[in-house]
Every structure is written in structure tokens, then in C-alpha cells.
Amino acid sequence: MGFARACSVALVGVEGVVVEVQADLEPGVAAFTLVGLPDKTLVESRDRVRAAVANSGAAWPQKKLTVGLSPASVPKGGSGFDLAVAAAVLGAAEVVDPAVIADLVLIGELGLDGRVRPVPGILPSVLAAAEAGHRHVVVPRGCAAEAELVPGVSVLGVGSLRRLIAVLTGADGAASEPDEEAGPPGPGPSGLLVPGAGPGTGVLSGRPAEGVPGDLPDLADVAGQQGARRALEVAASGGHHLFLSGPPGAGKTMLAERMQGILPPLSRQDSLEVTAVHSVAGILPPGNPLVTRAPYCAPHHSATMQSLVGGGAGVPRPGAVSLAHRGILFLDEAAEFSAKALDALRQPLESGRVVIARAAGVVRLPARFLLVLAANPCPCGRHGLYGAGCECPASVVRRYQARLSGPLLDRVDLRVEIEPVGRCDLARPGSRGEPTAVVAARVRQARDRAASRLAGTPWRLNAEVPGHELRTRWPAAPGALAQAERDLERGLLTARGLDRVLRVAWTVADLRGNDRPDALDVAVALELRTGVARGAALAAGAAP
């Protein structure tokens, strides 16, 4: 028989498409033709597969060989098709039984010596295969733990093509023999496969841990800043975006870095979503690949728009907003980012996803994150401080603050002015605030209250609920919104701002244990939204 087929997966963003790899052998001059819209990396697989087959002890067929990738209209790229191409060629040459590999999904890169090397995107690829009805997959040995996160799929991890041939041909003892010919394992799938990925990207993935991990900075390290600490608690409880403004050295970055610890662990579904994005980006932590902690992404202010929202040549890759999915995106020195990059955040802040249009098609990437902005009030950072000696002209201060556009700030729920920390806060005994574990427990209780209220709906956090639903389905106490409605009439709030005030009021009510927001909860939300004192004590964790 001169024909065989196997299956692999092409990734478009974080979504996979099962591709049938067909191999056909015909009499004629020995040649290897690869068709089906492959990119440059995939075209080079012809040489990798030929060398790997020869170095694995199998004879390369000396005939006219055509390998087709179907459907041909889907763009295909990367080296993950090598293993499927090799299996299809060996099936067409009758080295292995074509019926055995017909419905087998194979993903992996081949080295010239026959080793099977890890590739990014194993988890979304196996998820796509499972959704298409495939139940048996073959992946690189180093990626087997990642593939086994998908339930109902039988995973075979191989370290060499020789081992795969032995398993497919049913050689005696093939199932129990180690990959002696595989040699030392190649680089793992945690950042070494993708240039520019790894610890230097500012992304902290979630490692499995019980409770609050001890390797995260503690919120008790922050001296003073009680108002900002409570705003952090409200933001974490309801998934609200936060803007911290204040002079240098006041603790804005310290607060943002400690926010990851007070977020609850990810649910199973959220963990798979985050792990799939990080798998495509090649930044999964080694060992246990499942991300269980909310990720934290802090790109430098020189980041481009493509690095923030995703993009790049060819098929777009996930940007910082997708790497922070179900976690925190922290933009320190936000006013130093380019206006184009900041304004590109408007759509994902509203919809929770990024839609990138290219000539080859449209890519949708998840981007449901909690945005934390931090900025100085002026270029020197001393504007508004008594006796600080700010020398920035008023026009310079206005231009600097205008870098954060009104439409972007209108999507930020909480705005907090941070005052400098005084000597008393630093030196007074007992000035340390509550530790992360205590605040995290309150955040989890508030989220549980919101989850029980929103059960049976597509929303899980107060920040996700549309304003119309909050006004009609879960109304506030009578008269509670009177002050907010007056601000709307005066032009101090937009219609979007009124909805966001109501969402924050629900979060404050959940933290206080109220069944629905009252006038005090709305006053606290207005104070957090506008920065204007409303005479309400910001006591989020307990009743005032």
C-alpha cells in the first residue's frame, strides 16, 4: 500500500484545528513534496524527517513522496508536525501498519538523530484533538504531563522515533523498554523553546501551592497606606481595575506586587485556560505544568502595542493581556507607555478577549485580566506635595497626566491617591498591617458570596455583570443610588461610570456581609471612583 494518513494539530492563537497528514508513494524519481499551506519552519521538516527516519534504523522510501496537510486552507506552521509526517511516511512505506496510525494524533519535533523534542502549545493541541473525538495522542516525553491534564485522552510520551516505531509495530517489550537511544532530554517546554520567553518577560506563572504561597511578598510589609490596602482588597474581591497615583517611593509597586497573593486559587476550568495560553507562549513552569495561581504580568513601559495585546509576523502570538488572563496586568509608570499601546487596552478591558485581524484570518485570544495602573502625578513626581519643590510647569503636568486618556480611565473602577509614608508609619511599633493570608481569606469569602448570587449566570465576578442586570435583577437598597445619580446629572459620572460604581458597591457589600448595597456602600464606591471624599469610612473588611 502506497498511502497512509495520521493526524496532528495546527494552532491558530490558542485554538487548535485537527489536521490530517496524508502521505502518498508513487513510482518515479525520488522526491519529497510537502503541500497544504505550510510555513518556512514546516517546509524544513522534509530534511528533519528524512534524517530522523534514517538515523532511527528505518529505510527511507526511494520513490516519489507527496505529503499533504488537510484542510489546505488553514495556515500551518511550526515544527510540531514532524512526528505526524514521519509516521505517515512510514505507514505509506509499510514500515508500520497504516490502520494503526489512521486516527492517531502525533505532535512533536524531530531532531536529526531521531530524538523527539518538546514544542509549545501541547495542551491546547490535545484539547482540540479531544474535542474532535480523538482519544489517543503521542507527544514528546517531556510534554506528557501537560497532555495528561486533558481528561479522557490516552497519552503516550516518546523520547525518540525509534521508540515510537517499536510501539507501533508491537515489538516485544517495547512498552516497557526505556528510551535508551533518546539521549539526554532536550530543553523543556518552559520558556526555552520560544526566544524571549522565560523569567525576564515579567510574567509570574502560578505554581501549585496550598493556601497562600510562601514565596510571594507579604502585604504586611507595606507600612501605612490603609486606604490603598483596602482598595486593593476591593479590587481583588470583585475583579475591578485599579489606578494608583502618587509620588515616587510611596509604595505603589509594593502594593501591586502583593496583590497576586490575595487572589484565590484558580478553578479547574480557569487553570486549563491559563495553562493553554502559557503553553502557546512557551512559559509554563517546569515539573508540574498546571497553573493554579493567578498569573502576574508586569511588562516594561517600553513595550509595544503588539507585545501588549498580541501580534507578530505570521500567526499572532499572545501578548501581555493574554498572559495575564485570569490574573493581574500591572503597568508601572503607566504614563510612560505609548498612547497607542494604552488605548489598545480599551477593547479587552470591555470584552475580556482580543480579536486580532490579519490577512490570513482572525485570531481570538482570551484576555480577562485585572488591570493595575501606577503613575506619578508629574515627570518629577513631586506635584501636589507640600514643600516638595515641584518645578514642572502647569502645561507639562497637564500633558503628562493626559497621556492616560479619558476613555481608558473611564474603564478603571478604582482610583486611589497615595500619600507619602511618614516617619511614624515606618518607625511606630505595631504599624505593620494585616498579612496576606488574613486579607486573602476575606477576599475568598466575598467571592464566594458573589458566586452564590451569580450561580446559573455566565458571570462569576461583580466586575463582569452588566449594569442593566444589576439594576433590574439585583437592585440596590431603596435610595442607595441617589448620590450617584446626582453625580451623573452633573456630568461627574458617565453612564459607564455609574454602572461601575454599582459593581464596586456590590463588592463592598459582599465584603461587609450585606445582602445588597446600601447608601454607605455606594458612597464608598463613589469615593473610590472619583477620589472625592464622601464622608464614608473605607472599611471594606468589616462593618463601619
Side-chain angles (χ1 to χ4, degrees):
M1 181 178 181
F3 176 82
R5 63 184 178 89
C7 295
S8 191
V9 179
L11 287 177
V12 182
V14 294
E15 299 176 356
V17 178
V18 176
V19 174
E20 189 175 278
V21 181
Q22 304 169 346
D24 179 70
L25 286 174
E26 297 178 0
V29 178
F32 189 169
T33 304
L34 184 63
V35 297
L37 208 58
D39 70 348
K40 178 64 175 178
T41 306
L42 186 49
V43 169
E44 292 174 348
S45 68
R46 296 179 301 182
D47 299 319
R48 292 194 300 268
V49 171
R50 183 187 291 111
V53 170
N55 290 326
S56 298
W60 183 260
Q62 298 300 317
K63 295 182 180 180
K64 180 182 178 181
L65 172 62
T66 302
V67 174
L69 308 176
S70 178
S73 59
V74 176
K76 306 166 191 73
S79 56
F81 288 88
D82 290 1
L83 203 58
V85 172
V89 171
L90 293 173
E94 298 185 350
V95 176
V96 300
D97 186 358
V100 175
I101 63 173
D103 294 319
L104 194 63
V105 177
L106 303 101
I107 307 166
E109 176 186 335
L110 285 174
L112 300 184
D113 56 355
R115 283 186 298 170
V116 181
R117 303 172 65 86
V119 293
I122 289 293
L123 178 59
S125 298
V126 178
L127 284 171
E131 292 176 359
H134 296 274
R135 292 294 174 261
H136 302 281
V137 299
V138 178
V139 299
R141 184 178 54 184
C143 301
E146 182 182 343
E148 289 171 353
L149 296 175
V150 182
V153 176
S154 174
V155 178
L156 172 63
V158 295
S160 67
L161 182 59
R162 187 188 298 269
R163 168 70 187 280
L164 177 61
I165 295 173
V167 173
L168 295 178
T169 57
D172 295 339
S176 58
E177 289 180 1
D179 277 333
E180 295 179 355
E181 61 280 336
S190 58
L192 297 179
L193 297 173
V194 181
T201 56
V203 181
L204 295 180
S205 303
R207 293 174 179 265
E210 295 293 335
V212 178
D215 58 337
L216 290 179
D218 200 324
L219 196 58
D221 298 336
V222 180
Q225 305 295 1
Q226 294 302 316
R229 290 169 58 94
R230 295 298 172 83
L232 219 66
E233 184 176 341
V234 173
S237 300
H240 306 289
H241 307 305
L242 175 64
F243 176 39
L244 301 174
S245 176
K252 302 185 296 294
T253 304
M254 285 187 66
L255 288 165
E257 289 175 344
R258 283 150 180 78
M259 194 170 186
Q260 186 185 18
I262 65 177
L263 293 178
L266 299 176
S267 64
R268 176 70 180 183
Q269 180 63 31
D270 291 346
S271 294
L272 291 177
E273 290 179 6
V274 175
T275 304
V277 176
H278 288 204
S279 176
V280 172
I283 58 172
L284 281 180
N288 192 342
L290 184 64
V291 178
T292 59
R293 180 195 300 168
Y296 174 87
C297 184
H300 191 258
H301 63 259
S302 61
T304 62
M305 183 185 71
Q306 289 77 12
S307 66
L308 280 181
V309 300
V315 178
R317 290 184 53 196
V321 296
S322 296
L323 298 179
H325 180 58
R326 299 298 178 186
I328 300 168
L329 176 64
F330 175 48
L331 302 185
D332 199 5
E333 303 296 343
E336 300 295 339
F337 282 79
S338 69
K340 186 177 180 181
L342 289 175
D343 288 338
L345 299 176
R346 297 185 197 175
Q347 186 240 356
L349 284 176
E350 287 289 331
S351 62
R353 66 179 183 273
V354 175
V355 181
I356 303 174
R358 292 290 185 269
V362 177
V363 175
R364 293 174 177 83
L365 299 171
R368 180 73 66 182
F369 57 91
L370 193 160
L371 177 65
V372 180
L373 301 171
N376 298 326
C378 69
C380 75
R382 299 190 297 270
H383 178 71
L385 295 182
Y386 178 75
C390 175
E391 298 180 355
C392 299
S395 59
V396 173
V397 174
R398 285 195 301 270
R399 283 197 301 268
Y400 188 82
Q401 295 179 352
R403 294 182 181 179
L404 299 177
S405 65
L408 175 63
L409 290 181
D410 196 39
R411 290 166 168 82
V412 178
D413 304 333
L414 314 177
R415 306 173 190 177
V416 180
E417 295 285 341
I418 297 183
E419 299 295 332
V421 179
R423 183 185 63 177
C424 295
D425 293 326
L426 292 174
R428 185 177 67 246
S431 62
R432 288 169 58 92
E434 293 176 319
T436 296
V438 175
V439 179
R442 287 202 300 268
V443 169
R444 178 176 293 188
Q445 291 175 0
R447 287 204 173 195
D448 290 342
R449 291 191 185 97
S452 61
R453 181 175 64 254
L454 301 174
T457 70
W459 315 294
R460 287 175 291 175
L461 297 175
N462 292 325
E464 301 173 1
V465 185
H468 173 74
E469 295 290 336
L470 287 178
R471 289 190 297 270
T472 58
R473 196 167 178 178
W474 298 286
L481 290 174
Q483 192 173 6
E485 291 169 349
R486 285 196 298 270
D487 286 355
L488 178 64
E489 293 175 353
R490 296 169 182 169
L492 300 178
L493 281 179
T494 62
R496 180 193 288 119
L498 180 63
D499 288 344
R500 293 184 177 272
V501 165
L502 187 54
R503 294 171 186 172
V504 175
W506 267 107
T507 301
V508 175
D510 289 333
L511 284 167
R512 297 178 61 212
N514 293 344
D515 293 334
R516 56 179 177 171
D518 55 19
L520 179 58
D521 297 327
V522 175
V524 171
L526 281 171
E527 185 170 334
L528 287 170
R529 171 77 181 181
T530 63
V532 179
R534 307 283 174 150
L538 186 55

